[in-house]
Amino acid sequence: MKKIGVFTSGGDSPGMNACLRAVVRGALYYGIEVYGIHRGYRGMIENDIHKMTSRDVSNIIQRGGTILKTARSQRFMTKEGREKAYQNLKNLEIDGLIAIGGNGTLTGMKAFSEEHKIPFVGAPGTIDNDLNGTDYTIGFDTAINTALEAIDKIRDTADSLERGFFIEVMGRHCGDIALLTGIGGGAEIVMLPEIVDDLDEIVESITQMLANKKTSLIVVVAEGDELGNAEELGEKVKEKIPKFKFRVTNLGHIQRGGSPTAADRVLASQLGLGAVEGLLSGKTNVMVGQLKRKLVYTSIDECLKPRKIDNELIRMLRILSI
Ligand code: F6P
């Protein structure tokens, strides 16, 4: 292998730049040329592909977002789009790819490599923590810390005015952001897509907590909860408990930004170099991840299976929120 391409795709996540830096410098260390593909699959189709040097990734380890930019490409979902992308890579003689992104990115790479047999290794760049094959995805730690900081601030006003707050966090179909910020923020209730919630039971628990002399409450709602979003849930609960004041806050895209935490920078560096070394040793159709502090490579099919929520953490939150 002489030339590899690297790109970031889908929702950006803090630490993508640190990962890119490790990919570029790791490849150069092994004497491999690296091409940065701008705006993910879109740039692959539009031939927005440029050779990178070690200096191109100077001073980016601490920056949120991605200097390569990112996009969600509809065209790449078509065979014709993937064919165009392949021709562009072939013209540049790129013979391996490193894809930094989440489940959409890996799903795209799977289809691409099945059609065009180009070797690739994925690196899990997403705040959602929704992939198997790694304990944590790059950006998750920063996102939960950002959300937690916001929840702490909301708790101050909730406590002062004696209110309940429904706080919506991101995570698409995965409740990990909600669960971890719920535990860290001392939430009374978390609502997760993986758990079938019952509105009457939620109302009953809140009523019990108020009877137990709680004067403020935090309910963290994962955006993918099947009972509805925080706004809808807040409305329903307000109707059932009219005596207590509730407010709703959606933390939104602040969760995707900001300088990556130390944990995310280290993880991103390890996975970036691991992706290069995996590709060079002949691995393909895998994602590099870290399980119990060990670098591992897991098949893309396995990584894309729904990730199980940690029931032990849910049990703990319930015990500690009385
Ligand atoms: O996958 C990352 C993520 O932030 C999800 O948590 C969220 O559902 C989605 O992206 C939002 O996407 P967009 O920024 O395109 O609205």
Side-chain angles (χ1 to χ4, degrees):
M1 194 167 286
K2 293 199 175 79
K3 291 184 187 179
I4 64 167
V6 58
F7 61 97
T8 51
S9 170
D12 52 296
S13 72
M16 276 184 162
N17 280 328
C19 187
L20 172 69
R21 171 180 176 271
V23 169
V24 171
R25 293 193 174 168
L28 294 174
Y29 173 84
Y30 287 109
I32 308 292
E33 282 183 29
V34 199
Y35 285 77
I37 304 165
H38 292 236
R39 297 180 183 80
Y41 294 121
R42 189 170 124 196
M44 214 183 273
I45 295 171
E46 294 172 358
N47 208 18
D48 197 355
I49 307 174
H50 309 274
K51 195 168 164 182
M52 296 187 83
T53 69
S54 188
R55 293 290 68 77
D56 290 328
V57 291
S58 293
N59 199 24
I60 65 165
I61 194 168
Q62 78 284 16
R63 284 172 60 188
T66 159
I67 61 159
L68 283 183
K69 314 276 187 196
T70 182
R72 301 193 199 273
S73 170
Q74 292 299 319
R75 251 184 102 188
F76 196 78
M77 291 181 189
T78 66
K79 212 165 180 325
E80 163 273 323
R82 293 194 291 271
E83 178 61 38
K84 181 90 182 70
Y86 180 67
Q87 285 312 322
N88 290 334
L89 297 176
K90 208 169 144 203
N91 291 343
L92 287 166
E93 296 176 333
I94 290 174
D95 40 22
L97 286 174
I98 291 178
I100 308 170
N103 54 13
T105 306
L106 298 182
T107 305
M109 253 338 284
K110 186 168 136 43
F112 192 50
S113 76
E114 276 165 11
E115 281 163 17
H116 298 294
K117 311 278 172 269
I118 184 156
F120 81 95
V121 173
T126 169
I127 62 166
D128 295 345
N129 213 35
D130 57 350
L131 295 165
N132 290 298
T134 192
D135 287 332
Y136 299 109
T137 56
I138 300 165
F140 174 70
D141 187 65
T142 309
I144 59 175
N145 278 291
T146 301
L148 205 51
E149 202 184 320
I151 291 172
D152 287 348
K153 288 177 177 161
I154 291 169
R155 191 174 267 293
D156 286 345
T157 176
D159 180 57
S160 305
L161 273 159
E162 303 190 320
R163 287 172 169 171
F165 269 84
F166 285 82
I167 305 175
E168 185 170 314
V169 296
M170 279 186 167
R172 215 185 284 262
H173 307 298
C174 178
D176 271 21
I177 296 181
L179 181 56
L180 278 272
T181 54
I183 291 169
E188 275 64 29
I189 295 173
V190 287
M191 302 189 63
L192 314 171
E194 293 89 345
I195 304 282
V196 185
D197 292 304
D198 180 272
L199 187 65
D200 291 335
E201 275 175 27
I202 304 275
V203 170
E204 176 57 26
S205 317
I206 294 178
T207 310
Q208 271 296 326
M209 287 173 187
L210 296 175
N212 266 350
K213 301 200 173 21
K214 282 208 183 227
T215 56
S216 66
L217 295 162
I218 300 284
V219 182
V220 178
V221 184
E223 64 173 330
D225 192 82
E226 55 176 40
L227 273 187
N229 60 28
E231 186 78 45
E232 291 158 352
L233 277 163
E235 282 310 317
K236 286 179 195 158
V237 174
K238 269 183 212 171
E239 271 172 31
K240 305 240 177 193
I241 314 179
K243 280 200 198 119
F244 197 65
K245 285 259 179 305
F246 289 98
R247 291 283 187 271
V248 177
T249 303
N250 185 347
L251 299 186
H253 287 77
I254 61 160
Q255 294 161 94
R256 282 230 301 258
S259 182
T261 57
D264 268 330
R265 294 182 203 191
V266 174
L267 178 69
S269 302
Q270 288 175 302
L271 299 189
L273 181 59
V276 172
E277 291 181 336
L279 197 58
L280 296 185
S281 70
K283 291 190 167 44
T284 184
N285 252 291
V286 292
M287 184 195 85
V288 62
Q290 207 185 60
L291 291 172
K292 297 194 168 76
R293 296 185 140 236
K294 286 234 170 349
L295 209 71
V296 292
Y297 299 89
T298 306
S299 77
I300 297 297
D301 283 335
E302 189 58 35
C303 292
L304 291 173
K305 286 183 185 161
R307 191 178 154 121
K308 290 202 178 70
I309 198 82
D310 188 336
N311 284 312
E312 216 12 66
L313 289 181
I314 299 176
R315 189 181 77 89
M316 183 183 79
L317 181 134
R318 287 184 180 149
I319 292 175
L320 301 185
S321 62
I322 55 171

